[in-house]
Amino acid sequence: MCSIITKNRQERGKRRTIVIVAEGAHDRQLNKITSSKIKDILTNRLDLDTRCTVLGHTQRGGAACAYDRSLSTLQGVEAVRAVLDMTPDSPSPVITIRENKLLRTPLMDAVKATKEVADLIHERKFEEAMQLRDSEFKEYHFAYKNTATPDHPKLILPENKRMRIAIIHVGAPAGGMNQATRAAVAYCQTRGHTALAVHNGFPGLCRHHADSPLSSVRQVSWEEQDTWVNEGGSDIGTNRSLPSEDFETTAMCFEKFKFDGLFVVGGFEAFTAVSQLRQARDKYPAFKIPMVVLPATISNNVPGTEYSLGSDTCLNTLIEFCDAIRQSASSSRRRVFVVETQGGKSGYIATSAGLAVGASAVYIPEEGIDIKMLARDIDFLRNNFAHDKGANRAGKIILRNETASSTYTTQVIADMIKEEAKGRFESRAAVPGHFQQGGKPSPMDRIRALRMAIRCMQHIEGFSGKSAEEIAADELSATVIGVKGSQVLFSPMGGANGLEATETDWARRRPKHEFWLELQDTVNILAGRTSFGEGKSSWSCYENC
């Protein structure tokens, strides 16, 4: 610890040093490590002005974040289903989650595994104890150890194995882009690779390809990337333009800067860009290098993954907005807010936010909007307001994806509800717009960016030493990293089973099979819409309220 801190501060000019101590931390002799002990070491041995802060119960937080709200809701639903499915011989389950999938684990097995970890630690078998931890935790631990400092003599690769890896952002900005870039750069420096940041996407690469001070491709220093740890957006700049706009200049730039690998962070445009580069390999040999897409978009609409960087940050920002809106709706007792969400032609954000904020209805492009649906939901609202007699202070929120309908806009729906309410309740439209892109990335986006980026670098590293023809012949030389169910894996873009043909709806810019659609039923069940029959009228109870 002391050697790392000294090197970072004296040789690299790093002024900020943060040491985090877990409350149960101990050394390999099982002697307790306290924050005050660390403070004394830094003060006496390194002569640093050190302060000690104990976070204590502030770590329990305040309002629940989007992930906690959605997870607890889905675990509650799964727990009820588990109870309904149980027989007298069924073991008692505990509802767990692995990556993006809810699972039922026998309670006694979970208790046994927990005790086994504690016993191994007590016996000082730390490596064996680590093996019993889940894969996500182990990868986070590995990622931290390999990015905390660039000086790992055992990890530096020989000269003939080192690569020049280009990092480029494509599409709209999303939380986690900077963190992914920082992790990629740190890993490259740890292994001896050269990390090259391409500024302002493919147009930036092509515009300043000549030797000049304006060159948009440059090597990132350790000090520069360290400041990206908590920054939102894209510090190296992002752009929606695709390489097909100028294949020739793009290929010339690849050759000029001697790219050995390409790491693309972005949304559907990033997916499209790598698809175009892969298909152009026959004409432009410079593209015969390993290319990996790390999905980063608030829309979460990239084929090959169930989680995109930025989506969690967007949800946190959106529920913060909806909570403030609900407060207004609750205070007036009889008000409905129709909130327009972003997400393109994918309803993921609207549905997930609806689950987190308890929306009364969610309109998404996958289902569309028609007059019967609106009439049924207006009847549903009438019924709700008729029976609560002004006592319910929960407020009413309706979420509408921005492309759910070209006719029934957010304002039109709000006006229709207001008109049909006949003065008994009112409605308002609210459009958070680009506020949904968020500011500082959420913890989930930060740590997954770190983990995924390092996995991408390791994947590219696996092609080191291979010829251009060998790389082009490998289906996984152009790939997307993603969370699928309980696994993190790479999916090839081309080939017989590639994403381009089997999982991509190019016209709607989303996957053909969207994993989250079943959540729409859960939103409707929790809102009570499914128990309110289609075509059922509540005018009689409404008029008598």
Side-chain angles (χ1 to χ4, degrees):
M1 177 189 69
C2 290
S3 62
I4 291 174
I5 292 175
T6 300
K7 190 174 291 291
N8 284 340
R9 295 180 72 91
Q10 293 183 358
E11 295 184 11
R12 302 188 184 94
K14 188 175 180 181
R15 300 180 60 188
R16 182 186 69 249
T17 300
I18 299 176
V19 178
I20 299 177
V21 184
E23 61 179 348
H26 54 73
D27 60 23
R28 288 191 170 270
Q29 305 305 317
L30 301 183
N31 298 314
K32 184 175 177 59
I33 299 175
T34 64
S35 55
S36 59
K37 183 177 180 180
I38 297 297
K39 173 183 177 296
D40 292 340
I41 291 174
L42 296 177
T43 301
N44 299 327
R45 188 179 301 181
L46 301 184
D47 196 26
L48 294 177
D49 184 12
T50 310
R51 295 291 184 270
C52 184
T53 301
V54 180
L55 300 180
H57 285 73
T58 60
Q59 297 170 77
R60 297 186 181 273
C65 65
Y67 183 78
D68 282 342
R69 295 190 192 192
S70 298
L71 179 60
S72 59
T73 301
L74 293 175
Q75 284 182 311
V77 171
E78 184 64 20
V80 172
R81 290 173 177 167
V83 171
L84 295 176
D85 292 343
M86 287 181 69
T87 65
D89 298 328
S90 300
S92 298
V94 56
I95 309 302
T96 59
I97 184 170
R98 290 184 182 175
E99 303 297 352
N100 224 40
K101 186 176 183 180
L102 290 176
L103 301 171
R104 302 177 190 176
T105 303
L107 178 60
M108 296 310 297
D109 290 351
V111 173
K112 180 182 177 181
T114 302
K115 289 183 177 180
E116 190 174 352
V117 171
D119 292 340
L120 288 172
I121 292 176
H122 183 71
E123 296 170 7
R124 303 178 188 177
K125 298 179 179 179
F126 302 110
E127 297 299 328
E128 295 179 32
M130 181 62 75
Q131 292 305 314
L132 292 179
R133 296 299 301 263
D134 67 278
S135 59
E136 192 169 3
F137 174 84
K138 286 187 287 188
E139 287 195 30
Y140 288 145
H141 182 256
F142 173 84
Y144 175 75
K145 288 178 66 176
N146 283 269
T147 57
T149 176
D151 293 320
H152 292 276
K154 294 181 180 180
L155 298 179
I156 291 288
L157 294 172
E159 288 284 350
N160 63 335
K161 290 288 186 179
R162 299 178 190 178
M163 306 175 71
R164 291 171 60 84
I165 301 176
I167 304 171
I168 188 169
H169 296 174
V170 181
M177 279 184 159
N178 282 331
Q179 287 68 31
T181 306
R182 172 182 177 270
V185 171
Y187 183 81
C188 285
Q189 292 171 335
T190 298
R191 300 285 280 169
H193 302 303
T194 300
L196 301 169
V198 180
H199 289 256
N200 302 318
F202 286 101
L205 174 67
C206 296
R207 188 178 304 121
H208 301 308
H209 62 274
D211 290 321
S212 73
L214 295 176
S215 177
S216 60
V217 179
R218 61 184 180 82
Q219 187 172 348
V220 183
S221 66
W222 177 269
E223 292 79 5
E224 180 183 5
Q225 59 85 22
D226 190 57
T227 62
W228 296 344
V229 67
N230 61 349
E231 293 298 324
S234 169
D235 270 34
I236 66 173
T238 183
N239 199 295
R240 293 181 183 271
S241 298
L242 301 173
S244 58
E245 296 178 12
D246 193 348
F247 268 139
E248 187 174 347
T249 305
T250 302
M252 183 178 65
C253 291
F254 273 47
E255 293 175 350
K256 170 184 170 55
F257 294 107
K258 300 178 181 178
F259 293 160
D260 297 319
L262 181 65
F263 178 44
V264 186
V265 184
F268 199 87
E269 289 87 357
F271 180 87
T272 305
V274 171
S275 174
Q276 291 178 351
L277 293 173
R278 186 196 69 81
Q279 295 177 29
R281 280 174 168 173
D282 289 338
K283 187 174 181 181
Y284 301 99
F287 299 152
K288 293 181 179 180
I289 60 175
M291 297 179 283
V292 180
V293 177
L294 173 54
T297 168
I298 66 171
S299 305
N300 198 18
N301 63 337
V302 179
T305 187
E306 297 175 3
Y307 178 87
S308 296
L309 299 180
S311 58
D312 188 65
T313 298
C314 172
L315 286 172
N316 278 319
T317 306
L318 188 56
I319 66 168
E320 181 183 347
F321 181 87
C322 288
D323 284 348
I325 291 294
R326 183 184 288 278
Q327 180 177 319
S328 173
S330 301
S331 299
S332 58
R333 302 293 180 91
R334 291 184 172 274
R335 179 172 291 173
V336 180
F337 273 96
V338 184
V339 180
E340 180 177 300
T341 72
Q342 291 186 337
K345 294 184 179 180
S346 171
Y348 171 80
I349 287 296
T351 300
S352 299
L355 196 66
V357 303
S360 299
V362 175
Y363 301 135
I364 58 177
E366 286 81 358
E367 294 181 348
I369 306 175
D370 57 46
I371 192 66
K372 290 184 178 179
M373 181 187 295
L374 291 174
R376 187 169 64 249
D377 287 338
I378 291 173
D379 275 351
F380 173 67
L381 291 171
R382 289 197 193 103
N383 186 61
N384 269 267
F385 283 115
H387 284 86
D388 69 26
K389 299 185 183 300
N392 190 340
R393 298 188 59 191
K396 300 291 188 295
I397 298 286
I398 292 177
L399 297 178
R400 174 193 170 275
N401 173 275
E402 59 186 348
T403 63
S405 171
S406 59
T407 302
Y408 299 109
T409 65
T410 304
Q411 189 61 56
V412 166
I413 294 174
D415 291 341
M416 289 178 67
I417 294 173
K418 183 177 181 180
E419 179 68 22
E420 293 299 324
K422 306 299 182 183
R424 300 300 180 91
F425 57 93
E426 57 183 11
S427 66
R428 296 284 189 275
V431 182
H434 284 75
F435 176 77
Q436 295 167 76
Q437 288 186 352
K440 301 289 185 181
S442 69
M444 177 66 70
D445 280 334
R446 296 188 193 194
I447 59 176
R448 283 199 168 176
L450 175 72
R451 176 192 180 196
M452 298 289 193
I454 289 181
R455 285 284 292 270
C456 290
M457 292 298 103
Q458 291 175 321
H459 182 77
I460 293 175
E461 193 177 69
F463 290 90
S464 176
K466 292 186 178 182
S467 67
E469 297 306 321
E470 288 178 319
I471 293 173
D474 192 330
E475 289 185 348
L476 288 175
S477 64
T479 185
V480 176
I481 188 174
V483 176
K484 284 191 172 183
S486 60
Q487 295 180 308
V488 175
L489 46 81
F490 291 92
S491 301
M493 298 194 66
N497 299 314
L499 298 175
E500 294 172 1
T502 60
E503 295 189 29
T504 307
D505 184 342
W506 291 99
R508 296 179 177 85
R509 294 166 52 85
R510 67 191 188 203
K512 290 181 179 178
H513 308 288
E514 296 178 293
F515 76 98
W516 53 267
L517 278 176
E518 61 186 31
L519 299 181
Q520 187 76 353
D521 293 334
T522 304
V523 172
N524 292 335
I525 291 171
L526 297 179
R529 292 174 78 201
T530 55
S531 62
F532 192 78
E534 184 174 355
K536 178 180 177 181
S537 175
S538 57
W539 271 111
S540 56
C541 63
Y542 173 68
E543 292 293 338
N544 294 328
C545 70

